[in-house]
Amino acid sequence: MSFKSVITSLPLLWVCVTALPAGPGNFPNNVSSPSSFGDIHATAYGLVDTYDSSNWLNMFDVQAISDPTHGYVNYVNAQQAQSQGLLNYQNNQVYMGVDSTSTLNPNGVGRNSVRIQSKKSYTHALVIADFAHIPGSNCGSWPAFWMVGPNWPNQGELDIIEGVNLNTYNQVTLHSSPGCVPSVGSGGMTGHPIGNADCGAAGGFTGCGVESNSAVSYGTAFNANGGGVYAALWTSSGIKVWYFASRDVPANIRSGSPDPNSWGTPQANYAGCDFDSKFNNMNIIFDITFCGDWAGAVWGSSSCASANPSCNAYVASQPQSFKDTYWLVNSVKVYSV
């Protein structure tokens, strides 16, 4: 998310391409997955941190910064976010949204939004995020739930939930310094690889992505399907990401005793990289930006362009379009690995 480029976006959303099939050994580099990367050994995952409505602003910093992805967005501070109703609590859930009432100058600072980063960073973790609602599939929008290290790309980036415009298929992506060329881990994956073979190619901007095969894994379709849970397991051996619709969330997640061995095939299953040297000290981030390096870059080749030839102009003039552009979070839990 933090430094996404158009190169990944075009094949993902708007251009028909032939993707390599999912399964062991079928990342873009065609490197077979190492036999040493087997199923995760039986492990008791200890709860390290819970982020929810009881402590959200104690655990996250609200970042009123310029958007690194050059979006048409104005990230506000914590006081502004709360006073404008962009960050609040509803029925023990955390709401984070955007201004959906103001008509703006397309050459101005952009639409008010919220970006937060966890005060704590992690090296290895099982991150389980439970969502009642994620930002809808709206022209111009680019939301993400992700993790990133402070010295990008040398300490890595893991995009867990990400998409743009009218997409309903989630994309998981790794960004790194050059030399992380993953294979598909043992047991395969349900998604299909896109982007570069090397997660650090082109300075890490493009990354190595995996697009979900589920049309309800992102945006409006995710919400219509009742929300759900994303779980990301990051170890020395690999990185895996699962999506579960709310009705399908494993009982061991609901009970607080997660067992990834029982969860079936993940959406993304990265193996075969020196993960410890490429990914460390990563913070958790939520944001919603508009247009910019991805949503804006693919605007002209998307159906959104029929509404307005300019992404910025559309976002500026259509505030009502973003009433559904918000996160509603039940909790984010981080377990030790």
Side-chain angles (χ1 to χ4, degrees):
M1 170 64 195
S2 56
F3 297 88
K4 187 74 66 180
S5 77
V6 63
I7 301 173
T8 269
S9 333
L10 288 171
L12 169 62
L13 291 174
W14 310 118
V15 180
C16 293
V17 296
T18 301
L20 295 175
N26 287 312
F27 253 93
N29 58 322
N30 288 324
V31 175
S32 297
S33 57
S35 59
S36 60
F37 186 76
D39 289 338
I40 306 153
H41 297 299
T43 304
Y45 296 89
L47 182 63
V48 175
D49 290 304
T50 297
Y51 298 77
D52 60 22
S53 61
S54 71
N55 62 3
W56 198 259
L57 285 178
N58 292 326
M59 300 287 280
F60 284 103
D61 290 320
V62 179
Q63 298 184 303
I65 62 173
S66 298
D67 182 16
T69 63
H70 312 106
Y72 180 69
V73 67
N74 180 43
Y75 288 127
V76 299
N77 62 36
Q79 181 179 358
Q80 292 170 318
Q82 291 176 290
S83 66
Q84 295 173 20
L86 307 186
L87 195 162
N88 57 46
Y89 307 110
Q90 302 177 359
N91 300 319
N92 297 318
Q93 298 167 320
V94 180
Y95 172 96
M96 294 177 292
V98 304
D99 168 30
S100 60
T101 60
S102 303
T103 300
L104 306 172
N105 178 354
N107 298 313
V109 297
R111 189 159 297 283
N112 285 0
S113 181
V114 177
R115 173 183 166 122
I116 64 170
Q117 176 173 302
S118 64
K119 297 178 186 293
K120 289 188 63 174
S121 63
Y122 303 91
T123 298
H124 304 157
L126 173 61
V127 180
I128 300 178
D130 187 349
F131 297 98
H133 185 282
I134 68 176
S137 307
N138 297 315
C139 288
S141 67
W142 177 7
F145 166 59
W146 48 299
M147 301 180 71
V148 69
N151 183 19
W152 191 93
N154 297 309
Q155 290 174 283
E157 174 180 338
L158 164 59
D159 302 322
I160 301 170
I161 299 176
E162 187 173 26
V164 297
N165 297 328
L166 299 177
N167 191 29
T168 64
Y169 292 83
N170 186 54
Q171 182 178 331
V172 173
T173 307
L174 298 184
H175 302 261
S176 71
S177 59
C180 178
V181 185
S183 55
V184 179
S186 175
M189 64 185 185
T190 62
H192 61 271
I194 56 176
N196 287 325
D198 189 333
C199 304
F205 283 83
T206 303
C208 48
V210 176
E211 184 182 27
S212 173
N213 71 335
S214 170
V216 297
S217 56
Y218 172 84
T220 299
F222 174 97
N223 299 325
N225 200 40
V229 164
Y230 269 90
L233 178 62
W234 164 28
T235 70
S236 294
S237 301
I239 294 175
K240 298 183 178 185
V241 176
W242 289 262
Y243 155 67
F244 304 104
S246 185
R247 62 180 174 276
D248 300 323
V249 175
N252 56 61
I253 289 181
R254 295 297 192 202
S255 68
S257 302
D259 177 15
N261 277 324
S262 69
W263 294 349
T265 307
Q267 173 193 323
N269 187 354
Y270 296 93
C273 168
D274 184 358
F275 293 97
D276 283 351
S277 70
K278 300 295 184 181
F279 300 89
N280 54 79
N281 293 317
M282 295 203 296
N283 299 81
I284 299 168
I285 296 181
F286 284 89
D287 68 55
I288 304 169
T289 187
F290 300 96
C291 303
D293 294 343
W294 187 359
V298 300
W299 182 266
S301 55
S302 75
S303 61
C304 294
S306 63
N308 193 307
S310 164
C311 182
N312 284 17
Y314 177 86
V315 173
S317 64
Q318 302 295 321
Q320 72 284 351
S321 296
F322 305 107
K323 291 185 181 299
D324 193 44
T325 306
Y326 65 90
W327 302 94
L328 192 60
V329 185
N330 293 316
S331 67
V332 176
K333 295 183 178 181
V334 180
Y335 293 84
S336 60
V337 171

